[in-house]
Amino acid sequence: MDKNNNLFAEFPPTSTEEWEEIINVDLKGADYYKRLVWRTDEGFDLNPYYRKSDIENLSSVKLNPGDFPYTRSVSKSGNNWLIRQEIETEIIEDANAIAVDHLSKGTDAVSLSVMSVSNSDDLEKLLKNIDVTKKHIYFTDVVDVEEFVGIYKSYLAKNNIELSYVKGGLEYDPVFDVLFVGNVAESEPMFEDEIADLFELAKDLGTDFKLFSINGLGYNSAGANISQELALSLSSAVSIIQVLIKRGFKIDDIAPRIMISFSVGPDYFPQISKFRAARHLWANIINAYNPQNENSCKLFAHAVTSKWNLTLYDAHVNMLRTTTAAMSAVIGGCQSLSVNPYDELISPPDEFSYRIARNQQVILKEEAYLDKVADPSAGSYYIEVLTDKIINKAWEIFLHIEENGGMIETIDKGIVQKWLEEGGQKRKENVATRKTILVGTNQYPNLNETMLDKILESEDLDSLNEDEYYAEDDDIVDDELEEDIDEDFDFDDDELNQNITFVGGSEQFDELRFRTEMVTQLRGVRPSAYLVNVGNLAMRKARAMFSTNFLGCAGFQIFDNNGFDNVDEAIDEALKTKADIYVVCSSDDEYPQVTKPIIDGIKAKYPDALFILAGYPKEHIEMLKNAGIDEFIHVRANVYKTLEEIQNKLDF
């Protein structure tokens, strides 16, 4: 064979027009845009496929790993990252024991609470048997950063540890604290002084010790989409940089001491693209300050698997969620990664859940070899285009913030809060309508699972709320359960100075199931629904399955059956089971004939029962309501609101 011959010469190229023609034939007249084009939360469109021509004008595809602006990678080879674990407890001795165990089993970095640390002796206990020059130790819950740095430096001096060798940093974001506190006018002067004083005090700790950890995770948890999370995080970093530049510090000293902690969520490819976009934007921003050291333009990106999509019920599914999220972060090129334990919404992590979280990363390194290749997603037309779109959108938002006077002024004007509130509400609506699926919560629930007793036993209800910003409403554990039955469980009460609210994706469905479980405790019997399956075999089976899934999301007990060919048989069997709800499952064509006889037959014995129809036959709705149907459940329903209304009608 002639070596000069193109191996693929016998395969003629197919033009985009030819592909589109075939696609339109397959669509059979359906709207191309509605069926195949994805409209993202950021507001841009993503096509169902991309070709080489779509990336020819993108600058990143012409770069090598390690080339400015580091879109592909900050290193020329390899994709190594730090395996990090957040240690939840504030008890010093327990935190130390857990940290030492983690660091001996594959973990490179740990995050430790210093809430209980008041002096260097306390720190000595917390860091016992930990080499802070070899392992990266991050400190959280720092109430007074200057005081803590003083304590830490005393500890280092006492143990003859060279300050410039220590690794890790502070989980400290003064800009997010301003948003958290909500009083910008009083916060800004203190904000600038605190930043400058901290930097002066800690500058001799070395660049491997980060002084500022931008809380991108917090913005995301409060409702920011990917582009907003990037823009808000970068603007927060710029606010710190501007203060320090104004106070006389150099960009080459400042930039290496800042890291950004990003969330990493369930949208796999966009999350990969987010980390690539973050490096690109950071490099260009820092480059505008004319650094002398090219490393100043290399972002240190920490990733934390999102808590937003973790679920309380069917918690083992969280292992899958955190695994795919971790892969996104690693393939995207994060420098360190924390995987949240799968069961942390239920109770504090134990040895098993910590081990699973740690080993998820170990497997990605040691068995999947994701640390061996720089920018493993390079060349993917889709990811390259998506990276470019996120870069442009995030930059647009960043410029908007700067035009409003920077991050502090934008917070002061309420713009940031508005974005987060709108984003949070949109997420809740997407979960409520099943546009966003949380398996085990709003889809495919485990019908036999109960959680209320476990939550009561754990005495850790605050873990239900996102990112450790805790709700004050603990009605759910009131000893007098009778007083709580008529309550609307409002998990949105965890507002922080009317500025930002952290709401987990599963919370609104959790409250429905808690409500059902409490009624079960009071009655001694679980609220139930009987499926009256009658008529067309295929339709009654399909709608029975749909109804089981729908009502199961509120924790109802479901009584199913094989179905009946006539109404009289269906009524006879239904009357043998006293249920709170009876669900009529049949075909749209049969509903006008079967519904009223079924309702009348059952109401004769159980007059207080609630009647639901599976489906929404538009032309018969009024007639069916008049026949006695109380609610309709169907694919376009707001599942949460419908279930809440059903519970209200049942008077619990």
Side-chain angles (χ1 to χ4, degrees):
M1 180 178 177
D2 187 350
K3 293 182 180 180
N4 294 321
N5 285 341
N6 187 331
L7 180 62
F8 298 101
E10 60 186 289
F11 300 101
T14 304
S15 68
T16 300
E17 290 74 17
E18 289 174 295
W19 277 115
E20 293 289 310
E21 184 178 342
I22 294 172
I23 290 171
N24 281 308
V25 169
D26 289 342
L27 285 172
K28 298 178 181 178
D31 187 285
Y32 183 100
Y33 183 86
K34 289 182 179 180
R35 283 290 185 90
L36 299 180
V37 176
W38 175 27
R39 182 77 170 175
T40 70
D41 291 339
E42 283 75 12
F44 51 75
D45 295 335
L46 291 174
N47 296 331
Y49 70 96
Y50 288 94
R51 311 194 72 201
K52 184 178 181 180
S53 58
D54 292 305
I55 68 169
E56 286 178 344
N57 295 324
L58 300 183
S59 59
S60 62
V61 301
K62 301 177 177 65
L63 300 173
N64 291 318
D67 289 350
F68 180 91
Y70 312 112
T71 314
R72 295 195 57 190
S73 175
V74 295
S75 61
K76 294 186 180 298
S77 62
N79 187 39
N80 197 25
W81 74 94
L82 300 173
I83 297 176
R84 177 170 156 183
Q85 186 61 60
E86 318 297 317
I87 309 300
E88 302 287 334
T89 182
E90 295 173 7
I91 301 173
I92 291 176
E93 291 79 7
D94 291 351
N96 171 259
I98 296 171
V100 170
D101 182 61
H102 277 301
L103 294 170
S104 68
K105 295 177 178 177
T107 300
D108 307 300
V110 292
S111 176
L112 298 170
S113 171
V114 294
M115 183 67 74
S116 303
V117 172
S118 57
N119 52 53
S120 58
D121 289 338
D122 289 337
L123 200 55
E124 191 86 42
K125 296 175 185 176
L126 183 65
L127 298 176
K128 182 181 178 181
N129 298 323
I130 296 174
D131 188 340
V132 296
T133 67
K134 294 181 179 178
K135 300 294 184 179
H136 296 248
I137 310 301
Y138 295 90
F139 301 103
T140 68
D141 302 323
V142 183
V143 177
D144 186 321
V145 288
E146 290 181 59
E147 179 183 7
F148 176 75
V149 169
I151 293 172
Y152 190 43
K153 291 177 73 173
S154 296
Y155 161 81
L156 296 173
K158 179 181 177 181
N159 289 276
N160 297 314
I161 299 171
E162 174 60 46
L163 272 63
S164 61
Y165 291 170
V166 297
K167 303 177 186 298
L170 304 175
E171 288 287 340
Y172 171 56
D173 183 349
V175 181
F176 192 83
D177 288 350
V178 170
L179 177 64
F180 181 83
V181 171
N183 194 332
V184 177
E186 294 182 8
S187 299
E188 190 165 7
M190 181 174 64
F191 162 84
E192 294 192 0
D193 289 340
E194 193 171 84
I195 289 172
D197 292 346
L198 170 65
F199 198 85
E200 180 63 39
L201 177 64
K203 64 181 181 181
D204 52 353
L205 284 172
T207 57
D208 280 338
F209 190 86
K210 309 301 179 186
L211 301 181
F212 305 99
S213 176
I214 305 303
N215 193 2
L217 174 67
Y219 294 121
N220 176 271
S221 299
N225 61 38
I226 286 175
S227 299
Q228 290 171 338
E229 180 186 356
L230 280 174
L232 292 168
S233 299
L234 293 167
S235 294
S236 297
V238 166
S239 296
I240 294 170
I241 291 169
Q242 293 285 66
V243 169
L244 294 173
I245 292 289
K246 185 168 68 174
R247 297 296 181 96
F249 298 103
K250 304 296 184 183
I251 189 63
D252 286 313
D253 295 324
I254 301 167
R257 289 175 168 83
I258 298 175
M259 71 175 180
I260 301 181
S261 291
F262 291 112
S263 72
V264 52
D267 37 358
Y268 188 71
F269 294 109
Q271 293 294 335
I272 293 172
S273 303
K274 177 174 73 176
F275 286 92
R276 303 173 91 240
R279 288 193 297 274
H280 178 101
L281 291 166
W282 174 264
N284 281 286
I285 289 170
I286 299 303
N287 195 51
Y289 291 95
N290 298 314
Q292 301 304 302
N293 186 340
E294 66 175 13
N295 289 328
S296 298
C297 295
K298 296 180 178 180
L299 173 65
F300 189 98
H302 175 56
V304 183
T305 57
S306 175
K307 291 184 182 180
W308 181 86
N309 68 323
L310 295 187
T311 59
L312 184 64
Y313 288 86
D314 220 347
H316 286 87
V317 182
N318 291 332
M319 295 184 194
L320 303 178
R321 296 184 177 108
T322 54
T323 297
T324 59
M327 288 181 65
S328 293
V330 169
I331 292 171
C334 66
Q335 275 61 58
S336 65
L337 170 63
S338 295
V339 172
N340 286 312
Y342 76 95
D343 61 347
E344 67 175 344
L345 295 189
I346 303 172
S347 61
D350 58 17
E351 183 179 356
F352 176 76
S353 56
Y354 269 139
R355 177 173 175 248
I356 291 295
R358 178 178 66 246
N359 284 350
Q360 284 171 282
Q361 294 199 60
V362 172
I363 289 171
L364 292 179
K365 271 192 178 183
E366 304 298 333
E367 297 186 25
Y369 302 115
L370 291 184
D371 62 332
K372 305 303 182 187
V373 180
D375 193 20
S377 63
S380 163
Y381 302 152
Y382 175 49
I383 291 177
E384 296 290 2
V385 170
L386 185 51
T387 299
D388 185 65
K389 286 182 178 289
I390 292 174
I391 287 171
N392 291 329
K393 188 63 178 181
W395 185 245
E396 176 187 322
I397 300 170
F398 175 86
L399 292 179
H400 181 68
I401 294 171
E402 295 306 301
E403 288 165 2
N404 276 281
M407 190 64 179
I408 301 300
E409 288 296 319
T410 307
I411 293 172
D412 194 24
K413 293 174 181 177
I415 296 172
V416 173
Q417 296 90 320
K418 184 173 182 291
W419 288 342
L420 299 179
E421 180 182 3
E422 290 175 349
Q425 288 300 320
K426 185 174 182 180
R427 283 185 187 172
K428 286 182 65 176
E429 182 179 351
N430 287 344
V431 173
T433 59
R434 287 180 176 167
K435 184 177 179 181
T436 297
I437 299 296
L438 295 177
V439 173
T441 297
N442 70 346
Q443 188 77 289
Y444 313 122
N446 181 343
L447 301 178
N448 297 317
E449 185 178 23
T450 59
M451 291 300 305
L452 188 57
D453 287 342
K454 294 179 183 178
I455 295 298
L456 290 169
E457 290 171 6
S458 76
E459 298 181 353
D460 188 32
L461 288 174
D462 293 336
S463 67
L464 291 173
N465 295 291
E466 182 69 9
D467 279 342
E468 300 181 359
Y469 296 100
Y470 301 140
E472 297 177 357
D473 187 353
D474 286 342
D475 286 345
I476 190 172
V477 291
D478 199 306
D479 292 335
E480 302 296 332
L481 289 177
E482 292 90 342
E483 296 179 4
D484 295 324
I485 295 305
D486 295 325
E487 292 288 333
D488 281 327
F489 298 115
D490 186 2
F491 283 79
D492 296 344
D493 286 345
D494 53 335
E495 291 191 10
L496 310 175
N497 294 294
Q498 305 302 314
N499 284 319
I500 48 177
T501 303
F502 299 88
V503 180
S506 71
E507 285 183 12
Q508 54 191 338
F509 281 89
D510 293 341
E511 66 185 43
L512 293 173
R513 293 188 72 163
F514 291 152
R515 197 174 178 185
T516 300
E517 286 191 42
M518 288 196 298
V519 171
T520 302
Q521 288 197 24
L522 287 173
R523 290 181 176 180
V525 62
R526 189 171 161 196
S528 61
Y530 181 92
L531 307 184
V532 187
N533 307 325
V534 64
N536 183 286
L537 180 62
M539 289 304 302
R540 77 192 190 202
K541 282 188 173 182
R543 282 179 162 158
M545 187 180 299
F546 174 83
S547 300
T548 299
N549 192 24
F550 195 108
L551 295 171
C553 293
F556 293 114
Q557 183 176 7
I558 309 298
F559 294 110
D560 199 358
N561 51 75
N562 292 326
F564 310 95
D565 294 327
N566 65 74
V567 170
D568 291 337
E569 288 181 8
I571 294 172
D572 289 343
E573 286 300 315
L575 292 176
K576 294 177 182 178
T577 304
K578 187 180 187 305
D580 298 278
I581 302 166
Y582 290 88
V583 187
V584 183
C585 300
S586 188
S587 66
D588 287 0
D589 292 337
E590 292 171 293
Y591 279 142
Q593 289 77 44
V594 304
T595 302
K596 184 170 175 49
I598 288 173
I599 293 175
D600 290 345
I602 296 173
K603 271 196 171 183
K605 185 174 182 180
Y606 304 127
D608 296 329
L610 192 73
F611 289 88
I612 294 174
L613 187 132
Y616 196 77
K618 293 181 181 179
E619 64 275 17
H620 304 306
I621 295 300
E622 288 306 315
M623 182 272 289
L624 293 168
K625 286 181 179 178
N626 292 333
I629 292 296
D630 298 289
E631 287 287 343
F632 298 85
I633 58 176
H634 51 93
V635 292
R636 297 187 182 276
N638 183 309
V639 181
Y640 168 69
K641 288 184 178 179
T642 303
L643 291 173
E644 183 183 44
E645 185 61 27
I646 290 170
Q647 288 184 332
N648 291 340
K649 287 181 177 180
L650 290 173
D651 197 26
F652 70 85

